[in-house]
Amino acid sequence: MTYNEHGVTATIERLLEDHGLTGALAPEQLNLLDQFHAGGYAALDRTIEPVSLGPGDRVLDIGSGLGGPARRIAQRTGATVRGVDITEEYTATATYLTERCGLDALVSFEHTDIADHHPNLPYTAAVTMHVTMNIADKPAWYRAIADRLVDGGHLVVWDICSTGQAELPLPLPWSIDGSDNFIVGVDELRGAITSAGFDTIEWVDESAWVREWFETTFKDGLPPGPGIAMWLEDGFTRTINIGVAQAAGDITIVRGHFTKSTAT
Ligand SMILES: C[S@@+](CC[C@H](N)C(=O)[O-])C[C@H]1O[C@@H](n2cnc3c(N)ncnc32)[C@H](O)[C@@H]1O
C-alpha cells in the first residue's frame, strides 16, 4: 500500500520547525515539500499557464496531495480551489498548511474519491498532477472529472508515462510494491482522456524541461529546507529511483491541456 504514512501533519510541523519555519508561511517556502511531482511549483505554473485562470474560476484539483498545487493556483490567480484526495492524512495536512499560508478563504480539501464528490456548482477548470499512474480505470476516472466540469471547462494534466523500454524500479514515488502502479504510455493516456469526452488543445513531452529542472535544482546535492523525501515512507529510495528512470529515458513527463467537449 502506498500513501500510508501516519502522523504526516506532526512530521511536517516538526520538519518546518527544524528548518526555522515557524509562524506564517509563504507557499514558495514549501516548494520541495508539498509539490509532490517532478518540477516543483514551476511545473504547476507551466501546467496552468495555457488557461487564463482568475478570481471567478472554480478549480478542482484531483489527487491534491499536501495541497501545494492548489495553494499555488490560488496564490497566482485568485481562483477558488477545491482539492480532493483519497488519502485522509494528506487532506488533513493540506488543510493545516493552507491555514498556515493564510489561503484558507480560497483553498479547501475533501477526503473523497472523485466519484463521491458532489459540488454545488460545476467547476470551470480541473487540474491533476502525477495521479493517473495510480488509476486502473482511467477512462472512468477522467469521465468523472468531465462530469464535474462546465461545458467547455478546462482540464490540465502533468503526468508520468512509461516509454516501455524498461521495467521501472520499485519502490516508486506513486507505488511502494507495484500493486497500485498503473502507468501507461503517452498514447494510451491521451486516448483515455479523449475517450472521456475531452478535446485536445495541447499535449507536450516535457521530459527535457524536467531533466533540466532536476539538474539545476539538485546540482549541489539536496537544497536547503524541508523536502518530500523527508516525510514520505522510504522517500529517498523512491526519489532516487524515479530520478534514475528519468535520466535513463524510461519515463516521459507529459503536460496536457484539454477542454470538455460540448458534444458529450
Ligand atoms: C504523487 S501524489 C501527487 C499529489 C499532488 N497532485 C501533487 O502534485 O503535489 C499522488 C496523490 O494522488 C492521490 N491519489 C491516488 N489515487 C487517487 C484516486 N483514485 N483519487 C484521488 N486521489 C488519488 C494520492 O493520495 C496522492 O495524494
Side-chain angles (χ1 to χ4, degrees), residues 87-107:
T87 306
E88 191 165 15
E89 287 264 356
Y90 292 4
T91 51
T93 305
T95 302
Y96 163 78
L97 287 173
T98 301
E99 282 165 7
R100 288 218 27 203
C101 289
L103 284 166
D104 42 315
L106 290 178
V107 183

Side-chain angles (χ1 to χ4, degrees), residues 31-46:
N31 187 27
L32 297 178
L33 180 80
D34 69 356
Q35 301 281 343
F36 192 170
H37 53 257
Y41 65 67
L44 181 277
D45 293 351
R46 227 171 153 74

Side-chain angles (χ1 to χ4, degrees), residues 2-3 34-38 61-70 84-88 90-91 112-115 127-136 141 158 173-174 228 231 238:
T2 314
Y3 313 122
D34 69 356
Q35 301 281 343
F36 192 170
H37 53 257
D61 179 2
I62 312 99
S64 44
L66 299 199
V84 297
D85 199 294
I86 56 165
T87 306
E88 191 165 15
Y90 292 4
T91 51
T112 185
D113 191 282
I114 180 74
V127 58
T128 179
M129 304 181 84
H130 284 28
V131 184
T132 190
M133 304 89 77
N134 285 127
I135 308 300
W141 196 70
W158 179 263
W174 64 92
I228 288 174
W231 64 264
R238 288 161 77 184

